[in-house]
Amino acid sequence: MGMDGDQPVADRPQQADVAARAGVSLATVDRVLNRRKGVKERTRQRVLEAARELGFLSEREEAALGGERPLNIVVLLPAGSNPYLRLLGERLRARLDSAGPAGPVLRCFFIESFSAQALAEALRRNAAWADGIAFFAIEHPVVREAAAEVVAAGTRLVTIVSDLGSVPGIAHVGLDNRAVGRTAGLLIGRLSGGRAGAVALVAGSRHYRAHSEREAGFLSIQEELFPQLRIHGMREGHDDAAENYRHTLALLEQVPDLVGIYNVGGSSGGITRALREQDRQDVIFVGHGLTPDTRRAVLEGTMDAIFDQDPDMLISRAIEGLSGPAPVQRPLKLDIYFSENLP
């Protein structure tokens, strides 16, 4: 860090020397030099001044570190094979690569899917570094408890895609999922052309509030407008293509009058694979997430429509919610793609 190349290594000042001169702990010096949170401004300036006086930092490096500290933001996403979540991770990595010095410092971590305990631990662990955390919420008491602790300690939280309900101090960025479910029900009902039969739902997990709200919206409009269609229950595929494939094969075998399938969650590739193998293009299929596999399925006619929320807009709104004043709670725009309007 700005050290004279001719100075013997043994004579070069170390972080311990900076800590001693500034009268702070070694951990505080580390936080200042790495622009972590949790250091008072007066202490931060004292550490930087001591580092420059000792020759640990050049004047230029001191000036760079002396400016306003950028926000530290963490994004927590479920691990697994869900193509939309992988796409979201890729868009976040692209932001990391192009981020300028004035923007927030972003980190993205994939954690065990559908594990409330893993999410709660990740929230607590990352709150030590992060000023704000955006996360795909699991509606569970241990997650609520961890989220409440983190907010009370001063770290801002924003849920993305799926929320925790009305938890004070936590904003949400995502769709109006009940309206999304009703839209899916309306679309399948209209496309059925008056046929009587069964409609099946596949979800990642009801522990995702987004999925349970979509289910509720779908059921409500089916009962209101399409009484000739009966709901064949909800199957949880955990956003895994192999599980969704097995569920769909079972549905095609067990439900001879199957009219449609609504994939409330992700990983639609398993469903389209089963429909393709069984040559069942008569089954109306609607799912979520514009990704290469769903695009291909719509173009070949195995999938009828894709419901999508723009990943870049989702990321931007989440970062805005963590960086500025408390955001206005307004749903993202739902994009619906057919073979004729794919972007």
Side-chain angles (χ1 to χ4, degrees):
M1 277 202 170
M3 302 307 302
D4 186 342
D6 296 329
Q7 188 176 5
V9 173
D11 296 336
R12 293 178 183 175
Q14 305 298 313
Q15 287 192 23
D17 301 314
V18 176
R21 188 178 185 91
V24 300
S25 68
L26 189 59
T28 297
V29 173
D30 179 75
R31 283 198 292 271
V32 171
L33 296 178
N34 288 286
R35 307 191 110 179
R36 296 188 175 96
K37 68 175 189 177
V39 181
K40 294 180 180 179
E41 181 61 23
R42 183 173 57 186
T43 302
R44 191 169 72 91
Q45 293 300 332
R46 190 164 75 243
V47 169
L48 292 174
E49 183 179 344
R52 179 184 53 77
E53 290 173 350
L54 286 171
F56 185 85
L57 293 178
S58 68
E59 290 186 6
R60 181 177 178 180
E61 289 168 334
E62 182 196 9
L65 288 172
E68 184 177 357
R69 181 181 68 82
L71 292 175
N72 297 333
I73 292 178
V74 166
V75 180
L76 302 176
L77 296 175
S81 60
N82 186 329
Y84 180 80
L85 292 179
R86 289 205 303 268
L87 175 63
L88 203 56
E90 290 170 6
R91 298 293 175 85
L92 275 163
R93 281 191 287 272
R95 292 215 175 200
L96 292 176
D97 294 339
S98 62
V105 179
L106 291 173
R107 292 180 180 177
C108 178
F109 299 104
F110 285 85
I111 60 174
E112 183 183 351
S113 298
F114 309 103
S115 171
Q117 192 61 46
L119 177 55
E121 291 172 359
L123 286 170
R124 291 188 173 102
R125 181 173 62 251
N126 285 283
W129 176 84
D131 297 291
I133 301 174
F135 65 106
F136 197 115
I138 296 174
E139 194 170 25
H140 192 281
V142 298
V143 177
R144 288 176 176 273
E145 183 70 15
E149 288 178 16
V150 167
V151 169
T155 298
R156 298 183 70 167
L157 296 182
V158 167
T159 57
I160 56 175
V161 181
S162 192
D163 68 353
L164 283 173
S166 56
V167 178
I170 302 179
H172 176 63
V173 177
L175 301 170
D176 178 342
N177 286 296
R178 187 176 178 86
V180 169
R182 286 182 62 85
T183 304
L186 177 66
L187 185 59
I188 289 179
R190 293 292 190 187
L191 290 176
S192 68
R195 281 188 292 163
V199 177
L201 279 74
V202 178
S205 170
R206 286 190 177 92
H207 286 302
Y208 285 146
R209 189 181 181 89
H211 293 189
S212 61
E213 288 180 344
R214 291 171 190 171
E215 177 190 17
F218 189 92
L219 295 177
S220 68
I221 199 165
Q222 288 292 314
E223 292 173 359
E224 291 172 23
L225 300 182
F226 307 104
Q228 78 278 11
L229 297 175
R230 71 181 191 281
I231 305 300
H232 188 75
M234 170 83 89
R235 296 177 181 233
E236 294 188 355
H238 301 99
D239 287 349
D240 179 80
E243 279 194 61
N244 286 347
Y245 171 72
R246 291 191 293 271
H247 281 319
T248 307
L249 286 180
L251 285 168
L252 295 174
E253 180 181 350
Q254 297 166 9
V255 187
D257 62 344
L258 186 66
V259 171
I261 298 174
Y262 173 36
N263 183 14
V264 174
S267 294
S268 289
I271 298 173
T272 57
R273 176 188 166 197
L275 293 174
R276 192 182 305 113
E277 287 180 358
Q278 299 299 312
D279 193 23
R280 290 298 303 273
Q281 289 200 9
D282 61 305
V283 176
I284 303 159
F285 177 38
V286 174
H288 284 261
L290 178 60
T291 54
D293 62 324
T294 56
R295 173 188 287 273
R296 183 170 59 253
V298 166
L299 287 172
E300 71 183 15
T302 311
M303 192 171 187
D304 292 277
I306 304 166
F307 287 7
D308 191 57
Q309 50 189 325
D310 183 278
D312 291 313
M313 179 61 69
L314 183 69
I315 294 167
S316 295
R317 286 273 296 274
I319 292 174
E320 289 170 8
L322 294 170
S323 304
V328 176
Q329 299 270 25
R330 63 185 190 279
L332 291 179
K333 179 172 66 72
L334 171 65
D335 295 317
I336 305 177
Y337 295 110
F338 303 91
S339 59
E340 302 303 322
N341 71 329
L342 285 171

